[in-house]
Amino acid sequence: MQMHGKNIIGAQLSSAGEKTFQAYDPRRGEAVGPLFHETTAKEVDRALMLAENAVAELREMEADGIADFLLSIRDEISGIGDNLIATAAQETGLDEARLKGERDRTLNQIKLFAEIVREGSWVDALIDTPLPDRKPLPRPDIRRMLRPIGPVAVFGASNFPLAFSVAGGDTVSAFAAGNPVVVKAHPAHPGTSELVASAIIKAVKARSIPEGTFSLLHGKSPEVSVSLVTHPNTKAVGFTGSGRAGRALFDAAARRPNPIPVYAEMGSVNPVFVLPGILKSNGQAIAEGLSRSVLLGVGQFCTCPGLVFGVDSDSFENFQGKLIDAFEQASPGTMLNPAIAKAYADDFERVAGVKGIERHVSARSGDPHKTEGQPGVLMTDLNNWLASKELHGEIFGPSTVVVHCGSPDQLLKAARALEGTLTATIHGTTEELSKHSELVEILSRKAGRLVFNGFPTGVEVGYAMHHGGPYPATTDEKFTSVGATAIYRFARPVCYQGFPQHLLPTELQDANPRGIWRIVDGQFTRNAI
Amino acid sequence: MQMHGKNIIGAQLSSAGEKTFQAYDPRRGEAVGPLFHETTAKEVDRALMLAENAVAELREMEADGIADFLLSIRDEISGIGDNLIATAAQETGLDEARLKGERDRTLNQIKLFAEIVREGSWVDALIDTPLPDRKPLPRPDIRRMLRPIGPVAVFGASNFPLAFSVAGGDTVSAFAAGNPVVVKAHPAHPGTSELVASAIIKAVKARSIPEGTFSLLHGKSPEVSVSLVTHPNTKAVGFTGSGRAGRALFDAAARRPNPIPVYAEMGSVNPVFVLPGILKSNGQAIAEGLSRSVLLGVGQFCTCPGLVFGVDSDSFENFQGKLIDAFEQASPGTMLNPAIAKAYADDFERVAGVKGIERHVSARSGDPHKTEGQPGVLMTDLNNWLASKELHGEIFGPSTVVVHCGSPDQLLKAARALEGTLTATIHGTTEELSKHSELVEILSRKAGRLVFNGFPTGVEVGYAMHHGGPYPATTDEKFTSVGATAIYRFARPVCYQGFPQHLLPTELQDANPRGIWRIVDGQFTRNAI
């Protein structure tokens, strides 16, 4: 399949910009694929004008129509076949097994949102029936449900070329809520993005979905991103990436004459607390699991555990020894691109250079021609960690910082000093966990997800998943970018007062023809009124 | 009851500041009551340190404990008796009947939130049970619910000294979600604020609620407000007031190293569309209802209808004539304070001075010694309205702008040009409404609440109410400041993965001891697992 390297604006190819760029194969250290055309401000404007034009028709679509559209996207992505995996592998250096798993996950989350839309209760319908005889004033008929928010801008992530990119969770949950989406492809995998975007366009055409429902924009320059976020028609932004880029988009959106929400997921340190009791029985398995979790995907996950806290003891020393062994024996791996590999190497050196830090790296060093990152584990004590803010942030790559504390109480001190994070993990016996309820409570204020005796990587896509957390993990701790509730980023309540039955949205009509769950006069029910 | 004029910081009186101010009786045109002490930055810090100290204990409180605390606040406010009404009337110029109604509403909304907390399903519990045998990977046990967000800063509103102030919807919904609250009293009614705050403190003491759960701060200077919003312990902000003040707080919060949400409700124009058919049969009643709605409370409601659109016809001319009569015969009324009265007079003059505007004011002009505002209605045509941005914004006070359009299609043009608004109203026959589905759709993107054949003032406090809307009506169109769902501003999801049953929050345990509604494996249920 020949790639064209153009923007796709409402089903039309467009390459008005003079600036171009290419993808890069990090394993071979060379540029690959066609030239991709950077989007111009005028093209951004056209994408958002078309998106706005699509809004009314999308809002009127039946839920089944949206669900069918989502499933068509799923089929079209499946239909790309191995070329998608090969292209993504070439552009990201991620191995094919991982990418096949990521494709499955992408297809599964499309299916999940199709189910959610078809079932229909996600709209949070609330109905207060009228009380015409109430004194001193009658109560009117009031009904409220969620409606689509409007055009959504989505930024593809470098580390998930499928699951968090063109047809990833942001795009699919925005479609599910009934919105048009303009995706800014991540410039590290433009070819993968083009393939997936073409699949979406096929689904748009096959299902007679309005043209402006989807556009794909390319660009390396921050100006493209800022013009997308500040366009008057853009109503919300989904982003997964670095803290610096996420904050820049958040700031640009907050400075708009009419501010809009930016749901930026910016990664985190994902601390792991290892309690003493469990180490006695299970230290080796935890060390193995932990090093696997850190090294998975060359450490390029938002949920990579970057901090480990334990209490000084013989078993903790054993545990540290096992971790050191695992990292020394680990193999360097190809990272996503040279910028990320360089940032990793620089960050690791900077942190390893802090006074009082002991470092252990893999025996083999990374091959720069293959964009490899070298695994490493850093060791320090709590006082040193507390005193050095450099040790508190994320190092994006295959490393972790182990902090040993003098007593279990010091774990609380460590927990209180943590920044906001996506996840926090505790390893312990059940008895230990119940003794550490204060630790759990502190961590529940710092993290979006608490993991007990597991590892934070491998974010399950389901109803109950929350992939979010306090700043700097995200810009809005109320929302998740993974799981069913991700849809709530892209809808807003509208209340109908005194409307005749047949002019209400189906979900709010007395008969409840779709049989959705609603709260009627304060009671959950699927019954008609 | 003697007033002390001091800040109340975690149940202690505090008056470290040197700056003082007094309340002002707008009906008599004189300062009244004791000197109130402006809060210092140090006092703000103390309030937020105490609030943070209260967090852990509040998070562990049983739902019944929170509900009982709310009901104690309700009893204590009731117990103040007529002194509360007299003080509020003196400080705001609002009449006693209105204030008694507002007190009822305040007490009712406290009761509503007590019920919501006791019932318990508001926490949005989602449970995905484990699938240990799933291939290729087992699914872990994942459970998610809403938890309190942390210390909340609330800003009292000038126009609702009870329902949107010290123990108003913001404070009560933040308490209901399990958070401490620091209220910044509106400087126009500090005495009323002190009385209500003292009632809350009594409830805090009677129920052994932690001391830092509530503080009341006084101040006229913007510095007090900014230091409250930018304090590191503040996790969310509730505000009702002007667009300028709301945006200043939003900007201050967005510039923080760790941004926090500001839920600012900043009023709006609340457009009313009057369709031709209904005017033939019902023009007089609509004109009467509309002028009453505009003039209610001297036009000092966020939902005051400030724009009216109709289609040229004899019956529309009749309707306009009736409106003119009503405004010419209306009485000027005392406004909340001289600053608001002056802003109203200035805004009205500025808008009335736009070319092509016809003005009709009440026969009697306002008495400045009684801080009166003079009712007025302004008339113009659509082209003039479209061309003059000054005519698009809110004039806070007893006035409205009537815009006549050449055809029903022009109503769509008007609707498309509207700013975000809390409400939009349509008067028409049922048949007309069904013919104007496009108008409804456009308005549903502009407004938080659509009213059919009613008036937007009189915001019902219930489950289904949505009092919010796109910017500039609020800074976050997803949330409401009135009704049951107001609680969602002050809570955030936390996900528990792999936790032992007895260490989960009650709401997530298999047995579902509280019998709340949950979504288990995608299905709504109250059953145990």
Side-chain angles (χ1 to χ4, degrees), chain A residues 52 55-56 59-60 119 121 124 126-128 134 138-140 142-144 146-151 233 235-236 247 250-251 253-261 263 426 430 433-434 437-438 440-441 443-458 460-466 468-472 475-479 485 488-500 502-503 517 519 521-526, chain B residues 52 55-56 59-60 119 121 124 126-128 134 138-140 142-144 146-151 233 235-236 247 250-251 253-261 263 421 426 430 433-434 437-438 440-441 443-458 460-466 468-472 475-479 485 488-500 502-503 517 519 521-525:
Chain A
E52 180 60 33
V55 162
R59 285 168 73 88
E60 280 170 30
E119 193 279 332
S121 303
D124 276 353
L126 294 164
I127 296 175
D128 291 339
R134 191 185 63 175
R139 181 169 85 179
I142 299 175
R143 300 172 190 235
R144 168 260 201 214
L146 299 179
R147 301 292 315 268
I149 201 162
N233 291 356
K235 290 290 179 280
R247 181 68 191 243
F250 174 87
D251 288 343
R255 280 192 303 261
R256 288 169 57 117
N258 58 336
I260 59 170
Y263 302 104
I426 299 176
T430 301
L433 187 65
S434 68
S437 60
E438 194 176 349
V440 175
E441 274 305 292
L443 294 178
S444 76
R445 295 195 63 201
K446 301 283 185 174
R449 178 165 54 110
L450 303 179
V451 180
F452 182 58
N453 286 347
F455 297 97
T457 46
E460 185 68 33
V461 179
Y463 287 88
M465 177 49 65
H466 182 67
Y471 193 92
T475 47
D476 193 336
E477 62 183 328
K478 283 201 168 60
F479 293 93
T485 52
Y488 293 108
R489 296 174 297 171
F490 303 125
R492 53 172 277 264
V494 176
C495 185
Y496 298 81
Q497 180 172 325
F499 267 58
H502 65 287
L503 299 177
W517 284 94
I519 296 180
D521 295 330
Q523 305 295 323
F524 276 88
T525 176
R526 295 180 66 184
Chain B
E52 179 61 32
V55 162
R59 286 169 73 88
E60 280 171 28
E119 194 279 330
S121 302
D124 277 353
L126 294 164
I127 297 175
D128 291 340
R134 191 184 63 174
R139 181 169 84 178
I142 299 175
R143 301 175 188 231
R144 168 261 200 213
L146 300 179
R147 301 293 314 266
I149 201 162
N233 291 356
K235 291 288 180 281
R247 181 68 191 244
F250 174 87
D251 289 342
R255 281 192 302 261
R256 288 169 57 117
N258 58 336
I260 59 170
Y263 302 105
T421 177
I426 299 176
T430 301
L433 187 65
S434 69
S437 59
E438 195 177 350
V440 174
E441 274 305 292
L443 294 177
S444 76
R445 295 195 63 202
K446 300 284 185 172
R449 178 166 55 110
L450 303 180
V451 180
F452 182 59
N453 287 346
F455 297 96
T457 45
E460 185 68 32
V461 180
Y463 287 89
M465 177 49 64
H466 182 67
Y471 192 91
T475 47
D476 193 336
E477 62 183 329
K478 283 200 169 62
F479 293 93
T485 52
Y488 293 107
R489 296 173 297 171
F490 304 124
R492 53 172 277 263
V494 176
C495 185
Y496 299 80
Q497 180 172 325
F499 267 58
H502 65 288
L503 299 178
W517 284 95
I519 296 180
D521 296 330
Q523 304 295 323
F524 277 88
T525 177

Side-chain angles (χ1 to χ4, degrees), chain A residues 390-433:
Chain A
E390 304 94 306
L391 305 181
H392 291 228
E394 185 186 13
I395 304 173
F396 191 74
S399 75
T400 195
V401 177
V402 181
V403 181
H404 57 97
C405 302
S407 72
D409 272 1
Q410 286 203 334
L411 294 176
L412 300 181
K413 219 169 168 177
R416 285 197 195 93
L418 287 168
E419 292 185 341
T421 177
L422 293 167
T423 70
T425 298
I426 299 176
H427 282 273
T429 63
T430 301
E431 200 191 342
E432 275 181 309
L433 187 65

Side-chain angles (χ1 to χ4, degrees), chain B residues 360-379:
Chain B
H360 301 274
V361 296
S362 66
R364 179 161 85 71
S365 58
D367 179 346
H369 300 294
K370 294 181 180 165
T371 321
E372 284 183 341
Q374 183 175 23
V377 59
L378 303 170
M379 310 278 184

Side-chain angles (χ1 to χ4, degrees), chain A residues 88-109:
Chain A
Q90 188 181 45
E91 292 185 331
T92 64
L94 297 170
D95 69 58
E96 303 211 346
R98 142 74 196 267
L99 286 166
K100 284 181 178 167
E102 188 182 331
R103 180 175 58 186
D104 286 347
R105 176 200 176 119
T106 306
L107 300 178
N108 283 343
Q109 72 195 2

